Structure formats: C-alpha cells, structure tokens
Amino acid sequence: MMFNYRMYHCIGETRCLLRKDVIDTLYAALPPTTVKFSCELESIELDPLTTKPILRFIDGNTITTKGVIGCDGGKSILANFLNLKPTKMFTASTIRGLTNYPHGHPFDLEFTKFKKDGILVGRIPIDNNMVYWFCSQQHISKDEEIWKNPEVIRQHTIELLSNYPQEFQEMAQNADMNSLSFTHLRYRHPWELLTGTFFRGTVTVVGDAMHVMGPFLGQGGSAALEDAVVLARNMAQLGLNHAESGSKVIVHSVGKAFDQFVRQRRTRVVRLTLQAYLIGMLVTSSRLKKIIWIILLILLFPNQNSHVDYDCGDL
Ligand SMILES: Cc1cc2nc3c(=O)[nH]c(=O)nc-3n(C[C@H](O)[C@H](O)[C@H](O)COP(=O)(O)OP(=O)(O)OC[C@H]3O[C@@H](n4cnc5c(N)ncnc54)[C@H](O)[C@@H]3O)c2cc1C
C-alpha cells in the first residue's frame, strides 16, 4: 500500500533539548537552599498595611515577599491576580513523547513534519538514540482525567498512527511511558498581550503565565528564556542583585524593573503570539476561513521565519 502524506523539512536552525537538562542547569547555577520543591500555590493577596505580596500554599504555609515573579504556566494563579483574562483553547490537542532507540535510530538529525488525514506528526532526534516526537489532532472532548494515564495516551497514539508506516507506530509503541503527555492547546489572545497589565506593584508574570501560545512556531519555551534574560538584566541594572532587605527602595526598584521588563517584552511577545495564533487558526479552521488566515499571515509576516532572527541581548 502507498503511504500518501505531506512531508515538511523545517527551514532554519532547530535545537531540541530535554526540559530536565534546562531545569538542572538553571538549578545548578543557583545558591544552595534557594529552591523549594512541592510548594503548590493556592492564592496571593497584598498585605493591607505594607502592600507586600503574601503567598498562600496548599499545605497551609504562607510567605510574605518583596516581589513575586509568577512563572506558573498557562493556568497561572498570578495571572488571575493581575486580572488577566482566562486563557483560551484551540480546537486542537497534542501528544508528546520521547522514544529511546538503544541501538541508534535510523532518522536524519533534522526536524521533519508529516501530515495525513488531519493528523500532524513531528519528529526530531535529540541525539543518536533519543527521538522527540509529537502528534497533533482535533481535540477530543473527553474527561481530561483519562489523559493522565500514559497507557491511554500510548494506545490512542498507536490508533492515530494506524495509517502511518510501521516506523511511526513503533515510535509510539516503544515510547518512554514517563515522557508521554496529552495537552489541549491553549493561548492568550494577542490583543490582550498588546493591552494587558502584566505587573502590579511587585508582582509580575513571565513565560506561559504571561504569553501562553499555540506550539505552532515552537517558541513558547524559548520566549520564556528570553523573558528570564530581560527581567534579570533589568533587575541587575537597578542594583537588585545586591539589595538590602526591608528597604522601601527595593519595593520601588522591583516595581520599576517589572515595568521596564513588560515594556521591553511587549512587542516581541505580541508578534510571537499573533503569528502562532494565525497559524493555529489556519490549521484548525474550515477551508473557506483558511484564506483569511493565509492573507493575514502573508501581510503581517512576509518572512515566516523572522521570529527566529531575534536577539534579546546579553544578561
Ligand atoms: C505541544 C507543545 C509543544 C511545544 N513545543 C515547543 C517547542 O518546540 N519549543 C518551545 O520553545 N516551546 C514549546 N512549547 C511551549 C513550552 O512548553 C512552554 O512555553 C514552556 O514550557 C513555558 O515554560 P513556563 O516555565 O513558563 O511554564 P511551564 O513549563 O508550564 O511550567 C510551569 C510550572 O509551574 C508549576 N505550577 C503551576 N501552577 C502552580 C501552582 N499553583 N503552584 C506551584 N507551581 C505551579 C507547574 O507545575 C510547572 O512546573 C510547546 C508547548 C506544547 C503544549
């Protein structure tokens, strides 16, 4: 049987790395005891007397802070505190996984996408043995809880790829069970990024909490790292890496650093989320509407890859 599909080789440089490696590297650069794990935030409020943010955790503990940088993802509690609108959902969902080939995989070291019957599969080797892949489809409205079971995700992926060649099914079959995830794709509307207030006093949001976007450009995580560089730079320029505790100057400087951070990031994240939004609409809407999205993409982003040609500056 012939396997008819559209295959895309992605233009430009693509680097794939394990999230764990990024987190381990950042963690190792911090002084010991800086990080506390397993602290689930329940709510945040401002102290009525000092206006300092008070964080309340599920386990009953509270922390009064000099400043809060909320990087709690697409369902951010901190974003709610800033009165940002709830994020919206695309009509698509994506399964992601890693497959280890102990004797080496047969794939070229490049990012390749395949499309057949409305199912988009992407694949990129991380090294000679490990391959990252994803599989996007129309979202299925089922109880979200079932997707917490990796075996359900694996079986579902094998079914989805039943019309794909054997190598794709094997990829799903042999996936590392701990790596499998199912995500209903969400986004923050580009207009909200254009007009939204992303800091209040000494509380701000970064990464997905600020600008969750569809993964159609593969830039969400990269943009979060850019946020970190820009924010850290602003804080250091205002002397906050050496600040004494308790001073009113700190509160003022933290607010100023957050203000500058939001100003410097707004254009970049508006453009990224807008482009990702238009591509998301293009891949998930009917044929007639696709024309609108194509025209807008051509007009607003004549160079489709301009988003990678960006420098957020030095730390
Ligand atoms: C299918 C898919 C493919 C993607 N592909 C790419 C890609 O190729 N390239 C790219 O750059 N980006 C990609 N992204 C986007 C990328 O995953 C995100 O942009 C990135 O993870 C955002 O990082 P973050 O730290 O802001 O949020 P997250 O990674 O969501 O981390 C948020 C953290 O906050 C924690 N948290 C949440 N709520 C609470 C709470 N109440 N209390 C305490 N902790 C809390 C969570 O447990 C989590 O650890 C993709 C996303 C998806 C869905």
Side-chain angles (χ1 to χ4, degrees):
M1 191 176 70
M2 266 272 285
F3 175 58
N4 292 317
Y5 60 92
R6 265 193 258 166
M7 180 169 163
Y8 312 83
H9 292 282
C10 295
I11 307 159
E13 183 185 355
T14 310
R15 290 190 193 189
C16 190
L17 36 101
L18 291 173
R19 178 184 295 246
K20 184 180 178 308
D21 291 343
V22 179
I23 292 172
D24 285 351
T25 307
L26 295 173
Y27 178 77
L30 291 167
T33 72
T34 317
V35 181
K36 281 190 182 176
F37 290 101
S38 305
C39 306
E40 190 178 346
L41 183 69
E42 187 176 52
S43 64
I44 172 172
E45 64 196 26
L46 298 183
D47 186 306
L49 291 177
T50 62
T51 72
K52 281 186 182 170
I54 304 171
L55 301 173
R56 283 187 200 288
F57 295 90
I58 296 280
D59 61 8
N61 284 328
T62 59
I63 303 179
T64 303
T65 66
K66 295 188 206 92
V68 180
I69 301 166
C71 36
D72 50 343
K75 299 180 199 163
S76 169
I77 289 175
L78 278 310
N80 289 346
F81 169 79
L82 296 175
N83 289 327
L84 299 176
K85 293 196 181 112
T87 50
K88 296 187 182 312
M89 310 303 285
F90 280 107
T91 57
S93 47
T94 299
I95 291 164
R96 283 177 286 178
L98 295 167
T99 304
N100 186 41
Y101 296 78
H103 306 294
H105 57 73
F107 312 123
D108 290 335
L109 288 173
E110 61 179 1
F111 180 33
T112 323
K113 290 193 273 186
F114 310 83
K115 193 161 188 192
K116 183 174 165 59
D117 304 335
I119 297 162
L120 177 70
V121 180
R123 184 181 68 199
I124 177 169
I126 295 180
D127 55 30
N128 290 334
N129 300 95
M130 185 72 80
V131 174
Y132 163 76
W133 54 266
F134 67 82
C135 186
S136 292
Q137 53 172 333
Q138 271 301 100
H139 181 66
I140 314 158
S141 314
K142 276 190 185 172
D143 179 3
E144 298 274 319
E145 285 297 304
I146 65 157
W147 301 117
K148 289 186 178 158
N149 181 344
E151 186 51 33
V152 172
I153 301 176
R154 191 171 72 105
Q155 286 305 333
H156 178 73
T157 315
I158 294 167
E159 274 170 42
L160 273 183
L161 299 179
S162 57
N163 287 332
Y164 273 70
Q166 186 70 13
E167 69 182 40
F168 287 85
Q169 286 163 51
E170 279 171 8
M171 193 170 70
Q173 184 80 44
N174 299 329
D176 171 359
M177 296 298 270
N178 291 326
S179 74
L180 289 173
S181 68
F182 177 99
T183 313
H184 188 181
L185 302 178
R186 59 177 69 233
Y187 65 97
R188 193 173 292 293
H189 211 290
W191 318 136
E192 194 181 12
L193 281 152
L194 193 61
T195 56
T197 306
F198 292 98
F199 80 100
R200 179 171 152 201
T202 56
V203 180
T204 192
V205 278
V206 301
D208 275 14
M210 182 190 197
H211 48 64
V212 62
M213 62 185 91
F216 310 103
L217 291 173
Q219 287 291 305
S222 312
L225 291 172
E226 290 171 13
D227 289 344
V229 171
V230 175
L231 182 55
R233 187 173 60 222
N234 276 308
M235 294 186 77
Q237 279 168 359
L238 290 166
L240 286 162
N241 44 346
H242 303 297
E244 296 289 316
S245 58
S247 146
K248 276 189 182 167
V249 179
I250 294 181
V251 174
H252 174 73
S253 299
V254 170
K256 197 171 168 194
F258 289 177
D259 183 18
Q260 285 177 4
F261 159 73
V262 173
R263 282 170 200 268
Q264 288 170 16
R265 291 299 289 154
R266 200 182 289 273
T267 310
R268 168 71 171 159
V269 294
V270 167
R271 280 189 66 79
L272 278 179
T273 48
L274 180 59
Q275 193 177 358
Y277 171 77
L278 293 175
I279 299 173
M281 289 319 218
L282 177 65
V283 296
T284 54
S285 53
S286 64
R287 274 196 184 169
L288 200 64
K289 284 190 184 162
K290 279 186 197 295
I291 296 169
I292 302 171
W293 307 121
I294 290 172
I295 293 171
L296 283 172
L297 271 167
I298 292 171
L299 287 176
L300 295 171
F301 302 97
N303 175 1
Q304 281 177 38
N305 289 312
S306 60
H307 60 272
V308 291
D309 191 14
Y310 179 81
D311 183 357
C312 67
D314 294 335
L315 199 58

